[in-house]
Amino acid sequence: MALEKAFPEAAAARQLEATKLVGAEQQARYWLLDPQLAPASKPEFGDFQANGALALARPLQQPPRAVAAAIVEQLAADPAFTALCFPPQIAGPGFINLTLRPEALVAEVASRLADTRLGVPLAGVAAAVSGFGAAPAAGAAAGIVVPSPPAEPVIVDFSSPNIAKEMHVGHLRSTIIGDCLARVLAFRGHAVLRLNHVGDWGTQFGMLITHLKREAPEALTTADAVDLGDLVAFYRQAKQRFDADEAFQTTAREEVVKLQAGDPVSRRAWQLLCDQSRREFQLIYDRLGIELQERGESFYNPYLPAVVTDLEAAGLLVIDDGARCVFLEGVSGKEGKPLPVIVQKSDGGFNYATTDLAAIRYRFAAAPAGDGARRVIYVTDAGQASHFAGVFQVARRAGWIPEDRRLEHVPFGLVQGEDGKKLKTRSGDTVRLKDLLDEAVERSEADLRRRLVEEDRQEDEAFIHHVATTVGLAAVKYADLSQNRTTNYQFSFDRMLALQGNTAPYLLYAVVRIAGIARKGVEAAGASDMGSDPGDYGGDADLAFSEPQEWALVRHLLGFDAVIAEVEEELLPNRLCTYLFELSQVFNRFYDQVPVLKAPPQARASRLALCRLTADTLKLGLGLLGIPTLERM
RNA sequence: GGGGCUGUAGCUCAGCCGGAUAGAGCGACGGUUUCCUAAACCGUAGGUCGUGGGUUCGAGUCCCGCCAGCCCCGCCA
């Protein structure tokens, strides 16, 4: 955040001090030490704390507090620093506590109010604008310093359901987390390619087509001859036959070969099945407000042979038991033998590892023969961690990943039921995503209707439907995103729809409260002669804050950009959720204890401005989570 | 057998490249409404951070051992 501009100063001063205190021969070593500046761990310590003095004490052979004192002396001599912060306090064993001057905070609030990006820089612009003393809004005000957006895209590979199957809870996390990460990256100014790597190729199709030829041939020639539910049943039967019947297996494998070779009849059947599934997936995506570009496994079919050729040329291929493999370094399997990644089966066919390798190769290859990606992110369950580790290693050794490009697996844990086991329906089936979303919305609607009765409110059906849908879907998304991605999480309708706690309804309610103030503010403004532009309640006022709850809100609001930067780097949406939850809590305390509309004019204008900035921050933050907000609920 | 992830309050979980007295929500108990939606706010109780070592001025956080749970491991994806 802009407030952290104090940081470079502190760092420079400390480094300067280190130079003086140690001999020249040791300078280089300490030059690289950082002052360990971090947000204060407790409000009474101020805004930031620098812990670097403690680490320096030993090498300098001086008491930590003496080192801290020397640093503080340097800081005090710096006009830029003293303009921003009060004189630093040395506390405890040698912590340096920094407190920002109110004027600095107010100035930053004012600049955020004028900045639609709320202080979040566009990627690549950060360095240019961050010179000390530059007004944070300077970039925006000077009119788009933005260089042409980077041509190299960031690819987010997520959702990835399988054709001829319905989406189930297993796809939930990938879809929601991937969408959120894509939104954050796009907001930071990256060109984002959202790829849906659907399972539309391979053995499963041989199975299905072979089975349908006997059971329901019309499905292979006529669109929608059987509905998707039946198709799923056929798929299950096909799988059973495949596992039990050797002759069927052979036929199915031959069918795959025909399909991959482009046999017109097989292709036509495949196309029909894909179209049908695609429409079904799209219903879910539309409902969740998620955009995706489909590029399934079949897309990489033409590139599969080149994978093998490349690996062969790189000298990585080994034929083992008739299969072409690359043996992994540093990963030993059974009996100490290195673990293989099989890229071509003994029957000559390719498997999913080959497809994943072809995808990596294509995605990093320069356009137009590839995507030329700068960063590729895979959002899949943690169970595939070793698969991706292996595939990534092969891709690196093959030389497909240029220097300074990033390739990351973003794993997530399982969705579990409240019994701690994998989520299932009462009858033991996997839960269909559609049913899960339906139930969330139904429960949300029931809650709403109960409240309307209790509060004696009248709302029309359109309102009820809209609110119930928004809240229900938001609850599902938020429950997923607010959890640390890497761990399994327990799915609970009751918890996610709770009106209090770290839930979507709680956050949405905070936005609704502010919207209420805005509405009333505009009505009141119509009566008096304050400005009547509803989008600008108090924005132009001179800001002045006095109450502790106002300052708490100010300080929290100014942390937004730092959180976004963190999510972009760590790819952990729950950090943003925690921030927004805390912001809502701080706002609710403010709302509870500080009157806004009934305050005297000067305070009122400042408080309205704070409300607007809070609402904007919540809306933007929730938007990045893929959650739309409401004016009333 | 090898590898990965996880173990923090009764429950669900945070804890941001080690930092000051380990935080929140739910649940429990007790308060707050002439006032912008009380779907809120305030307070109390509750933890030897799985366990044993180690590194460090300082460890929930890093390293090693052990215990428990989940997941992955050659021609499925």
Side-chain angles (χ1 to χ4, degrees):
Chain A
M1 74 161 80
L3 300 175
E4 283 176 315
K5 283 169 187 161
F7 190 8
E9 295 303 316
R14 192 198 56 75
Q15 286 166 355
L16 207 64
E17 201 50 40
T19 312
K20 288 178 189 166
L21 290 168
V22 280
E25 75 279 2
Q26 288 183 37
Q27 278 185 28
R29 187 139 58 100
Y30 297 114
W31 194 255
L32 296 171
L33 286 178
D34 77 284
Q36 301 185 24
L37 191 94
S41 55
K42 291 186 186 295
E44 56 266 37
F45 299 151
D47 293 305
F48 294 97
Q49 59 183 59
N51 306 329
L54 288 159
L56 275 175
R58 191 181 183 84
L60 296 178
Q61 304 213 326
Q62 293 200 17
R65 287 187 70 105
V67 177
I71 295 168
V72 166
E73 199 178 314
Q74 285 293 315
L75 288 171
D78 184 335
F81 176 83
T82 52
L84 205 58
C85 289
F86 286 120
Q89 302 295 311
I90 299 172
F95 300 108
I96 301 172
N97 291 334
L98 306 175
T99 305
L100 293 155
R101 293 181 180 277
E103 312 89 84
L105 294 171
V106 168
E108 187 58 28
V109 169
S111 88
R112 301 258 173 133
L113 281 164
D115 176 10
T116 54
R117 298 188 55 83
L118 305 182
V120 179
L122 285 162
V125 183
V129 186
S130 71
F132 186 78
I144 326 307
V145 188
V146 191
S148 53
E152 304 89 11
V154 174
I155 292 178
V156 185
D157 178 317
F158 68 106
S159 196
S160 310
N162 290 316
I163 296 292
K165 288 192 193 172
E166 285 175 296
M167 290 181 79
H168 53 81
V169 274
H171 301 110
L172 179 68
R173 299 205 80 181
S174 179
T175 304
I176 291 172
I177 294 169
D179 176 59
C180 170
L181 295 178
R183 284 175 192 264
V184 170
L185 289 162
F187 181 66
R188 287 282 280 118
H190 298 287
V192 177
L193 213 48
R194 304 156 153 262
L195 294 184
N196 198 1
H197 191 79
V198 299
D200 65 354
W201 211 237
T203 315
Q204 54 195 6
F205 275 92
M207 281 162 35
L208 186 59
I209 292 174
T210 309
H211 186 64
L212 286 174
K213 273 184 177 170
R214 196 177 78 177
E215 302 296 329
E218 67 278 12
L220 301 172
T221 52
T222 313
D224 302 317
V226 299
D227 69 39
L228 194 71
D230 292 335
L231 213 51
V232 171
F234 282 129
Y235 183 89
R236 210 171 295 146
Q237 293 163 13
K239 172 81 176 137
Q240 280 170 10
R241 272 179 74 187
F242 186 84
D243 291 338
D245 181 349
E246 230 170 86
F248 181 85
Q249 263 183 43
T250 311
T251 320
R253 291 222 167 89
E254 285 165 9
E255 192 60 52
V256 177
V257 174
K258 276 163 75 179
L259 174 66
Q260 298 189 345
D263 174 77
V265 176
S266 297
R267 279 295 173 118
R268 164 86 180 138
W270 173 76
Q271 198 66 53
L272 288 174
L273 296 173
C274 288
D275 287 345
Q276 191 169 356
S277 293
R278 192 172 293 133
R279 284 199 305 276
E280 207 68 26
F281 298 155
Q282 197 57 45
L283 293 176
I284 300 271
Y285 295 138
D286 288 346
R287 215 171 156 188
L288 293 172
I290 287 171
E291 285 180 24
L292 266 164
Q293 180 180 329
E294 183 180 319
R295 197 200 272 174
E297 294 171 345
S298 59
F299 175 88
Y300 301 100
N301 189 50
Y303 305 99
L304 297 177
V307 167
V308 178
T309 317
D310 264 24
L311 294 174
E312 178 86 68
L316 297 174
L317 269 194
V318 176
I319 297 181
D320 196 76
D321 274 351
R324 292 171 196 271
C325 312
V326 177
F327 284 96
L328 296 173
E329 289 170 349
V331 190
S332 56
K334 289 161 192 164
E335 293 128 32
K337 194 181 171 187
L339 221 58
V341 169
I342 296 177
V343 296
Q344 192 163 21
K345 299 184 285 186
S346 48
D347 67 1
F350 302 109
N351 62 12
Y352 69 111
T354 328
T355 305
D356 282 337
L357 285 168
I360 293 173
R361 187 170 172 274
Y362 184 90
R363 290 167 182 184
F364 282 109
D371 296 314
R374 62 160 58 178
R375 186 178 188 185
V376 178
I377 292 165
Y378 287 83
V379 187
T380 80
D381 70 278
Q384 298 190 57
S386 41
H387 163 68
F388 279 112
V391 165
F392 288 180
Q393 188 197 110
V394 172
R396 268 181 225 292
R397 285 163 65 193
W400 294 333
I401 306 165
E403 203 71 20
D404 78 6
R405 303 298 165 110
R406 298 171 72 173
L407 175 59
E408 294 161 274
H409 179 219
V410 175
F412 54 83
L414 292 169
V415 180
Q416 300 174 316
E418 291 184 65
D419 56 359
K421 299 197 174 135
K422 198 174 167 186
L423 190 65
K424 298 263 177 172
T425 62
R426 228 165 278 164
S427 56
D429 297 325
T430 53
V431 180
R432 298 194 306 168
L433 192 46
K434 178 184 179 302
D435 295 339
L436 185 144
L437 298 178
D438 284 346
E439 183 166 353
V441 171
E442 280 162 22
R443 285 176 179 245
S444 158
E445 182 174 331
D447 279 354
L448 177 59
R449 288 190 190 277
R450 195 178 321 120
R451 284 185 49 76
L452 291 178
V453 171
E454 278 171 16
E455 296 170 13
D456 202 23
R457 279 167 61 192
Q458 300 293 322
E459 300 287 357
D460 59 36
E461 286 301 310
F463 174 88
I464 292 171
H465 178 257
H466 180 241
V467 170
T469 306
T470 305
V471 172
L473 297 179
V476 172
K477 286 189 179 186
Y478 190 83
D480 202 313
L481 295 169
S482 61
Q483 210 82 188
N484 184 317
R485 215 190 57 215
T486 51
T487 56
N488 295 348
Y489 92 96
Q490 254 185 48
F491 189 94
S492 163
F493 282 118
D494 288 335
R495 276 201 297 272
M496 72 177 66
L497 286 163
L499 309 166
Q500 57 280 99
N502 189 7
T503 66
Y506 180 86
L507 299 192
L508 290 173
Y509 179 59
V511 176
V512 163
R513 283 185 131 182
I514 302 171
I517 292 178
R519 271 195 308 275
K520 297 274 168 69
V522 170
E523 288 167 21
S528 72
D529 58 353
M530 288 187 62
S532 59
D533 177 0
D536 186 32
Y537 45 103
D540 295 321
D542 288 329
L543 301 170
F545 306 116
S546 53
E547 300 301 314
Q549 287 82 11
E550 290 178 296
W551 288 115
L553 189 51
V554 164
R555 288 190 153 88
H556 207 84
L557 283 167
L558 297 183
F560 183 64
D561 57 336
V563 171
I564 297 301
E566 202 177 306
V567 175
E568 178 189 2
E569 185 56 31
E570 314 275 339
L571 306 177
L572 288 173
N574 70 306
R575 295 279 162 76
L576 177 54
C577 293
T578 301
Y579 171 81
L580 294 173
F581 173 54
E582 286 169 354
L583 178 59
S584 301
Q585 284 184 308
V586 173
F587 173 77
N588 275 329
R589 274 173 216 137
F590 164 87
Y591 181 94
D592 194 61
Q593 294 168 45
V594 182
V596 176
L597 296 177
K598 292 192 162 63
Q602 159 100 43
R604 184 185 133 108
S606 294
R607 289 169 191 174
L608 280 169
L610 267 192
C611 287
R612 182 169 69 97
L613 187 55
T614 304
D616 288 349
T617 305
L618 286 172
K619 284 181 194 169
L620 178 55
L622 285 166
L624 292 174
L625 297 175
I627 297 173
T629 58
L630 296 162
E631 294 292 300
R632 294 193 306 123
M633 63 189 277

